[in-house]
């Protein structure tokens, strides 16, 4: 008997700061993640019939088995993963636009509704996969911090969307890959090169161009929403959200594939919901929107955020992480377009310059990691 590996797993990133792991689907050449036994050519089990069947190929007989020499896998639709990425970026951007349109609803309350939608989606998965609700004993502390930091990133990002221009907040969040490399170097002892340092400087420059602190740009700051104090608070919230999201990626790298991605999202939703409810009662901000339109927006934010996460997950199942990370810069493009069309707010040249710096740094980081993974894969083949 020959042992045929029936499945692989792909690392996935999430809304509001998450990076789950999911098995590839049968359609993509992966099974349940469990090995299956395929009879080798010329070998017959005692009492077996002439026709040999492989369990990892949906009952196909051996000459057409996935493990047969010269057998070609069914090719996936070219560009489908990148299309999913663009669709995910569009859904996330529209959800952010609806968040800007909501009136008199605190960002913490919006985050609470988002957590409820996440829990409703994940709960059937936990029951189906029988993962339990707490996870392995040795991993629970990591799951707790993953949930705490991920939900904090979501709340802070929603606050930033409410008090500063949509494009500005979106651009700042794209510095997350740069901070991930820095934190992975500090806590996981991963390699941090001169290129990573340059990308970090580019990202910081982009954030400074967007924040435009008075001691560098003077007190007359144009192109912001409301007062400069709110703009500065939003910038700090967006940067803190980005660092928190980067921290969750580092934690997920530490945990690896030993924890099901549904369980990771479960911690994110439960801890986020508890934190939001406590914060709302302390701030005395809990209230349903008065306008029926705002209630519809709340539901749409939850549905669009969930849809964006699903399509991003599908993209990473059938496409390499590097091209997906680069294509995800469409978030910034959609944010600029929606801000101009529906919010009547033209971005300043400072914002455009900051966007170019941040997108260049995040894309450079993604391309570099992608090339490293390809090089490592070729070395393993040799």
């Amino acid at each position: 008997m020959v042992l045929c590996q029936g499945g692989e797993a792909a690392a996935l990133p999430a809304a509001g700061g998450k990076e789950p792991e999911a098995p590839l689907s049968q359609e993509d050449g992966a099974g349940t993640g469990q090995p299956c036994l395929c009879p080798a050519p010329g070998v017959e089990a005692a009492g077996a019939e002439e026709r040999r069947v492989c369990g990892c190929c949906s009952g196909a007989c051996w000459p057409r088995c996935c493990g047969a020499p010269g057998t070609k896998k069914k090719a996936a639709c070219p560009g489908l993963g990148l299309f999913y990425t663009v669709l995910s970026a569009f859904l996330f951007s529209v959800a952010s636009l609806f968040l800007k349109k909501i009136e008199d609803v605190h960002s913490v309350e919006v985050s609470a509704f988002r957590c409820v939608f996440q829990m409703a989606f994940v709960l059937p998965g936990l029951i189906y996969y029988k993962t339990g609700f707490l996870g392995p004993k040795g991993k629970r502390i990591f799951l707790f911090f993953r949930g705490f930091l991920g939900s904090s990133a979501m709340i802070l990002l929603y606050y930033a969307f409410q008090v500063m221009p949509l494009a500005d907040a979106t651009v700042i969040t794209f510095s997350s890959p740069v901070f991930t490399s820095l934190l992975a170097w500090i806590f996981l002892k991963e390699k941090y090169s001169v290129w990573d340092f340059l990308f970090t400087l580019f990202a910081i420059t982009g954030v400074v161009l967007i924040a435009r602190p008075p001691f560098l740009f003077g007190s007359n700051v144009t192109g912001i929403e409301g007062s400069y104090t709110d703009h500065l608070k939003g910038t700090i919230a967006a940067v803190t959200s980005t660092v928190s999201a980067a921290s969750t990626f580092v934690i997920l790298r530490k945990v690896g594939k030993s924890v099901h991605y549904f369980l990771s999202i479960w911690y994110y939703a439960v801890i986020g919901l508890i934190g939001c409810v406590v914060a709302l009662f302390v701030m005395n901000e809990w209230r349903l929107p008065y306008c029926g339109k705002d209630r519809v927006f709340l539901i749409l934010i939850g549905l669009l955020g969930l849809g964006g996460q699903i399509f991003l997950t599908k993209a990473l199942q059938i496409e390499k992480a590097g091209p997906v990370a680069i294509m995800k810069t469409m978030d910034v493009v959609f944010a600029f377009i929606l801000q101009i069309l529906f919010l009547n707010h033209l971005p300043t040249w400072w914002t455009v310059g900051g966007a170019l710096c941040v997108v260049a740094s995040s894309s450079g980081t993604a391309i570099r990691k992608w090339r490293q993974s390809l090089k490592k894969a070729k070395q393993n083949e040799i």
Side-chain angles (χ1 to χ4, degrees):
M1 305 291 283
V2 178
L3 188 64
C4 299
Q5 188 63 36
E8 300 173 65
L12 310 174
K18 350 167 233 321
E19 188 183 0
E21 295 172 356
L24 295 177
S25 64
Q26 281 281 74
E27 180 181 346
D28 303 322
T32 60
Q34 300 296 330
C36 60
L37 294 177
C38 307
V43 178
E44 294 284 349
E49 296 180 359
E50 178 112 2
R51 182 176 180 271
R52 296 184 293 275
V53 175
C54 175
C56 60
C57 298
S58 304
C61 56
W62 185 83
R64 295 188 297 275
C65 165
C66 63
T71 304
K72 294 183 180 180
K73 293 183 180 179
K74 183 180 179 181
C77 178
L80 182 60
L82 299 182
F83 171 75
Y84 284 156
T85 306
V86 174
L87 184 57
S88 168
F90 178 74
L91 294 178
F92 281 135
S93 298
V94 174
S96 303
L97 175 65
F98 287 156
L99 181 62
K100 296 285 292 183
K101 289 288 188 179
I102 287 182
E103 300 175 359
D104 300 326
V105 180
H106 200 279
S107 59
V108 178
E109 186 173 351
V110 180
S111 302
F113 276 92
R114 173 70 185 275
C115 290
V116 170
F117 274 92
Q118 293 278 41
M119 291 175 64
F121 170 73
V122 171
L123 185 59
L126 292 179
I127 297 173
Y128 178 80
Y129 288 108
K130 299 179 181 180
T131 61
F133 296 94
L134 297 178
K137 288 186 177 180
K139 306 294 183 181
R140 291 175 185 174
I141 185 65
F142 295 109
L143 288 170
F144 171 80
F145 281 109
R146 180 267 181 275
F148 175 76
L149 291 170
S151 57
S152 299
M154 175 184 62
I155 295 169
L156 291 168
L157 179 59
Y158 281 2
Y159 174 78
F161 279 139
Q162 286 188 330
V163 300
M164 67 186 303
L166 179 63
D168 291 15
T170 303
V171 167
I172 292 175
T173 61
F174 264 80
S175 58
S176 180
V178 179
F179 288 110
T180 301
S181 298
L182 180 61
L183 293 175
W185 171 59
I186 296 173
F187 295 104
L188 301 181
K189 308 303 179 183
E190 293 186 4
K191 186 178 179 181
Y192 191 79
S193 67
V194 176
W195 281 107
D196 292 315
F197 179 72
L198 291 176
F199 293 145
T200 303
L201 290 181
F202 260 91
I204 294 175
T205 301
V207 173
V208 170
L209 291 176
I210 292 172
R212 281 166 284 166
F215 67 89
L216 289 177
F217 294 84
S219 57
N220 186 18
V221 180
T222 59
I224 62 175
E225 291 181 0
S227 65
Y228 180 77
T229 301
D230 287 339
H231 183 79
L232 185 59
K233 288 180 180 178
T235 302
I236 294 173
V239 172
T240 308
S241 169
T242 301
V243 175
S244 297
S247 300
T248 63
F249 297 154
V250 173
I251 291 173
L252 287 170
R253 286 186 188 179
K254 178 69 175 179
V255 172
K257 299 179 181 179
S258 60
V259 176
H260 198 280
Y261 75 100
F262 271 152
L263 193 60
S264 175
I265 301 175
W266 174 256
Y267 267 81
Y268 165 87
V270 171
I271 294 175
L273 180 60
I274 294 173
C276 288
V277 171
V278 171
L280 287 170
F281 277 105
V282 170
M283 298 184 299
N284 195 25
E285 290 284 350
W286 178 265
R287 61 181 182 274
L288 284 175
Y290 298 110
C291 177
K293 180 180 67 175
D294 286 346
R295 298 182 185 184
V296 174
F297 282 158
L298 276 176
I299 296 174
L300 289 176
I301 289 171
L303 292 176
L304 290 171
L306 184 58
Q309 184 61 42
I310 291 173
F311 280 113
L312 185 60
T313 299
K314 288 293 296 180
L316 284 160
Q317 284 180 336
I318 61 179
E319 186 60 79
K320 294 184 181 296
V324 170
I326 297 170
M327 187 60 68
K328 207 176 179 308
T329 55
M330 287 299 296
D331 274 347
V332 177
V333 177
F334 287 134
F336 275 104
I337 294 174
L338 295 176
Q339 176 177 302
I340 295 171
L341 292 181
F342 297 100
L343 301 176
N344 298 319
H345 187 95
L346 291 174
T348 65
W349 287 109
W350 294 115
T351 298
V352 174
L356 291 175
C357 288
V358 172
V359 170
S361 65
S362 60
S363 299
T365 302
I367 293 172
R368 185 173 175 276
K369 298 295 183 183
W370 180 29
R371 292 184 62 183
Q372 286 179 341
S373 64
L374 292 177
K375 184 178 179 180
K376 185 177 180 180
K378 289 182 180 179
Q379 291 176 346
N380 291 335
E381 288 178 1
I382 296 174

